[in-house]
Amino acid sequence: MSETADAGRHRLFFALWPDEATRRGIAKLARAACERPVPTANLHMTLLFLGMQDDAALACFREAAGRVRAAPFDLTLDRLGGFARKRIRWLGCSAPPAALGKLVQALAEAVKVCGFEAEKRPFVPHITLSRKAKNPLGGEPGEVLSWTVREFVLAESEPTPDGVRYRVLDRWKL
Ligand code: ATP
Ligand code: MG
């Protein structure tokens, strides 16, 4: 195997990855709601942040994800929110479906065999629309989007000179 400075190190997270039509819809909403929206290709909903991990852990997370059994669901994206301290503006759901919480729980359970203990903070489902937002407040988006979720992904976050970029490593059907 070739060795580089950060060979075998991956910044990983499980996420929901919008289909192209949903992605375009969210991007449009982001442009309307934020001055500096994140790049369209970056729009996603994190389910479980895994952080910096090596190749062995990555292999374990992959196997664990393959054992997760969860149902597909619809997300009604009808709420703007903010993390004021982090100056993040986001899009989310006023009533997240139980199936979303169950999927997050199932993932957190599954990765325990890899020695990963998920943080205890309550899960706040959100799609980041803007960082360093001037006005990271809540509200209602101009349009309500419906997103039919049929899969989840394992993604890797890679810093680039133009900002962070994400790579989908694997996908699993719900
Ligand atoms: P950047 O950190 O460069 O501004 P980013 O936050 O999108 O960009 P990452 O920090 O690699 O990129 O995070 C990847 C995903 O995981 C994002 O959705 C991010 O919100 C989420 N995330 C990052 N750190 C945590 C954490 N400590 N707890 C929960 N989720 C996190
Ligand atoms: Mg970050």
Side-chain angles (χ1 to χ4, degrees), residues 72-150:
F73 50 86
D74 289 335
L75 288 182
T76 303
L77 303 171
D78 62 351
R79 182 182 166 210
L80 291 171
F83 296 140
R85 200 172 46 81
K86 290 164 113 183
R87 291 172 64 203
I88 280 174
R89 190 140 210 237
W90 50 256
L91 178 66
C93 315
S94 59
L100 171 61
K102 282 186 188 167
L103 171 58
V104 171
Q105 259 324 108
L107 279 169
E109 273 303 315
V111 296
K112 280 184 182 169
V113 294
C114 309
F116 186 85
E117 195 60 50
E119 59 177 38
K120 298 279 181 282
R121 275 196 297 179
F123 170 64
V124 179
H126 68 279
I127 299 166
T128 295
L129 300 181
S130 173
R131 291 204 158 74
K132 298 185 188 138
K134 282 201 182 133
N135 180 22
L137 298 175
E140 276 175 27
E143 198 185 332
V144 172
L145 290 179
S146 184
W147 175 11
T148 300
V149 179
R150 298 181 192 283

Side-chain angles (χ1 to χ4, degrees), residues 11 13 44 46 49 119 121 131 157 164 166:
R11 189 171 167 93
F13 58 105
H44 68 279
T46 293
F49 180 70
E119 59 177 38
R121 275 196 297 179
R131 291 204 158 74
S157 168
V164 72
Y166 311 123

Side-chain angles (χ1 to χ4, degrees), residues 51 61 130 166-167 172:
F61 292 137
S130 173
Y166 311 123
R167 203 151 58 91
W172 293 270

